[in-house]
Amino acid sequence: MSEAVRAAWNRIEACERRSLADLFAADGDRLGKLSARLDWEEGGAIFDWSKTHLDDELLTAFEALAEAQDFGGRRSALLKGERVNTTEDRAAEHTAQRGVGAETSVEEAAQLHHRMHLLVDAIHRGVLGEIRHLIHIGIGGSALGPKLAIDALGRDGAVIDVHVVSNIDGLALEQAFARCDPATTMIAVASKTFTTIETMTNAASALAWLGQNGVGDPYGRVVALTAAPEKAVEWGVDETRVLPFPESVGGRYSLWSSIGFPIALGIGWDAFDAMLGGAHAVDVHFRDTDGRANLPLRAAFADLFYTRVRGCQTRAVFAYDERLALLPFYLQQLEMESNGKRVTMDGSPVDGATAPITWGGVGTDGQHAVFQLLHQGTVEVPVDFIASIAPGDALDPAHHEILLTNCFAQGAALMAGGNMAADGQDPARHFPGDRPSATILCDDIDPATLGALLAFHEHRTFANAVLLGINPFDQFGVELGKKMANDIEAGGGSFDASTQALLAAAGLD
Ligand code: F6P
């Protein structure tokens, strides 16, 4: 850690600690300073960070940290397509897919999108025969984004019925088979590397299922979405149905590339394009806004205040909207795979916490299951609430009113605390309060808003990484377990007594 970075952290730690109630009382313009609206085409959202402990003093201290970590330089390197992923010596060009990046990369992305658009149109027009279902096979970043987007945006009926299958547990694929007619089903094999064992095993089983159910040329039904097009061709996919994306687009950042094919096919090209548009608006905000006014950077200030200074080991995300039920799962990969690191960019050990554990669910369900701990447990958990002013349902407006009032009441209660006993004295009924939350209140959950929300979190994750001095774009932590599983599969490797006994019990030794 450089002297300047150490000094910045010391300054952050020395900031006066005041309660949320005091912070609101002390500054009549707190909302004006910590709640802001961001707009994109036909919509926008309020990003309210006023119920966190950020204040002028902390914001200034965190801005000094950003300066000491060369936030401006690292942001510009990211957006110019420089090799910011130093351990793998490559760029991280997901924003180029949305029109912000090196000129050549933006052009390449536009060409690849055009190619994908043509294929989507051809399938919709029936050029490949009647297609009514798509089984999208991928895992991690090759599945979580499509699954979230289809679930969030395809509820009013999709053009083509999409099933995302990720798990190697055959039950997942069998469940998709049960819902699809093989005569009208396409298979998308989504894998950046086109080597992932779960995906390739599921893909082979899906082809076998088509073949066993009367499809004469199963390979004729496959589309490959990959950064390794030569491997897809070698595996048997016709070149015309291979939709490549650049190596510089990371798996968990790949939704915007051809990995988004099931979104375009299932919900329509316009929806996919609107997602890119919403993300673009956030990219421009992130690129052109400095200091505390930069919303993803401001969110990262709060994140690090809680993890590094107050020792919070988790951060919860509760979407008060069924359409965003899968968002916590998406964010878990984005944040934990990116920033769950223990060394800095120069290889030295970090000297404090990096990413907290991201977890969450939907409101109001969570209130009746886990919120007890948020209000009265002994650990502090910063909570993000995400909600929409427009309802996703057409039922009695009472549904949405109850949903939103509960959402806002939770943030208020976490902050205010109090005692539920008539005499205000019962310790079991005491709420300590002063518990932080942030609220993102969207106009609606439409494609542009989903794109904007995801881009906001990508940039927030990047901003956290910059402030921590770590590389958010590699994921070596997933390799060791994979290697050991492969060793077992290949009949090799030597394992501890417990693992040997488990293998033997399952007949795998
Ligand atoms: O094992 C982790 C990981 O590499 C993720 O980073 C990635 O999203 C996932 O596996 C799937 O990889 P691929 O797209 O290459 O199949």
Side-chain angles (χ1 to χ4, degrees), residues 254-306:
S254 62
L255 169 68
W256 321 100
S257 70
S258 62
I259 294 293
F261 169 80
I263 305 167
L265 191 74
I267 316 176
W269 183 265
D270 290 349
F272 179 68
D273 199 39
M275 278 187 71
L276 297 178
H280 176 87
V282 176
D283 292 339
V284 169
H285 164 81
F286 184 68
R287 182 192 63 195
D288 297 343
T289 313
D290 286 322
R292 66 191 70 183
N294 184 312
L295 298 179
L297 180 63
R298 180 193 291 178
F301 290 167
D303 294 340
L304 289 177
F305 175 69
Y306 292 115

Side-chain angles (χ1 to χ4, degrees), residues 377-388:
T378 51
V379 292
E380 182 176 49
V381 182
V383 185
D384 281 4
F385 295 106
I386 306 181
S388 162

Side-chain angles (χ1 to χ4, degrees), residues 139-142 191-193 196 199 251-252 333 337 475 478 482:
I139 198 163
S142 295
S191 174
K192 179 173 177 182
T193 54
T196 304
T199 300
R252 56 193 170 277
Q333 186 196 21
E337 195 166 80
Q475 60 284 319
V478 295
K482 257 192 217 175

Side-chain angles (χ1 to χ4, degrees), residues 38-57:
L38 201 59
D39 285 301
W40 39 88
E41 212 170 316
E42 291 175 29
I46 294 166
F47 293 76
D48 181 1
W49 255 247
S50 65
K51 293 196 199 74
T52 70
H53 291 82
L54 292 178
D55 62 1
D56 284 331
E57 192 191 6

Side-chain angles (χ1 to χ4, degrees), residues 107-419:
E107 275 165 17
E108 185 192 10
Q111 276 165 17
L112 293 174
H113 280 150
H114 179 63
R115 191 172 156 182
M116 174 167 141
H117 193 172
L118 290 177
L119 183 59
V120 166
D121 273 355
I123 297 169
H124 284 161
R125 282 189 284 108
V127 173
L128 301 185
E130 190 198 358
I131 300 298
R132 288 198 283 123
H133 313 276
L134 175 75
I135 300 182
H136 173 94
I137 296 173
I139 198 163
S142 295
L144 288 163
K147 203 169 176 173
L148 162 64
I150 299 285
D151 191 52
L153 307 172
R155 289 176 178 238
D156 295 336
V159 192
I160 283 176
D161 163 50
V162 179
H163 300 268
V164 177
V165 175
S166 51
N167 204 347
I168 184 62
D169 185 335
L171 277 172
L173 196 54
E174 277 181 353
Q175 190 171 310
F177 292 162
R179 293 174 179 167
C180 297
D181 170 8
T184 57
T185 299
M186 279 204 87
I187 309 291
V189 184
S191 174
K192 179 173 177 182
T193 54
F194 227 76
T195 57
T196 304
I197 189 165
E198 292 92 333
T199 300
M200 300 322 296
T201 307
N202 275 331
S205 297
L207 280 182
W209 172 74
L210 288 180
Q212 286 151 12
N213 287 282
V215 175
D217 173 22
Y219 279 98
R221 293 284 188 78
V222 178
V223 175
L225 321 171
T226 183
E230 67 298 336
K231 290 211 178 77
V233 171
E234 202 179 301
W235 190 75
V237 188
D238 189 88
E239 231 176 329
T240 56
R241 277 175 281 99
V242 176
L243 296 176
F245 63 93
E247 183 67 37
S248 59
V249 174
R252 56 193 170 277
Y253 300 88
S254 62
L255 169 68
W256 321 100
S257 70
S258 62
I259 294 293
F261 169 80
I263 305 167
L265 191 74
I267 316 176
W269 183 265
D270 290 349
F272 179 68
D273 199 39
M275 278 187 71
L276 297 178
H280 176 87
V282 176
D283 292 339
V284 169
H285 164 81
F286 184 68
R287 182 192 63 195
D288 297 343
T289 313
D290 286 322
R292 66 191 70 183
N294 184 312
L295 298 179
L297 180 63
R298 180 193 291 178
F301 290 167
D303 294 340
L304 289 177
F305 175 69
Y306 292 115
T307 33
R308 298 279 289 218
V309 180
R310 285 172 76 127
C312 301
Q313 295 194 344
T314 81
R315 183 173 71 81
V317 182
F318 280 89
Y320 273 65
D321 201 299
E322 280 289 319
R323 293 169 289 185
L324 297 180
L326 300 181
L327 182 64
F329 298 104
Y330 181 87
L331 295 181
Q332 281 182 325
Q333 186 196 21
L334 176 63
E335 298 177 2
M336 292 163 73
E337 195 166 80
S338 295
N339 289 343
K341 305 287 168 62
R342 53 190 302 110
V343 293
T344 60
M345 295 281 282
D346 65 11
S348 50
V350 292
D351 63 356
T354 54
I357 294 159
T358 307
W359 66 283
V362 285
T364 61
D365 291 8
Q367 287 174 216
H368 300 277
V370 294
F371 274 38
Q372 164 64 37
L373 178 144
L374 299 182
H375 288 285
Q376 288 190 310
T378 51
V379 292
E380 182 176 49
V381 182
V383 185
D384 281 4
F385 295 106
I386 306 181
S388 162
I389 297 172
D393 66 281
L395 298 183
D396 184 333
H399 284 268
H400 202 61
E401 279 165 28
I402 296 169
L403 181 71
L404 285 188
T405 46
N406 269 274
C407 175
F408 304 150
Q410 288 302 318
L414 284 166
M415 178 165 89
N419 199 301

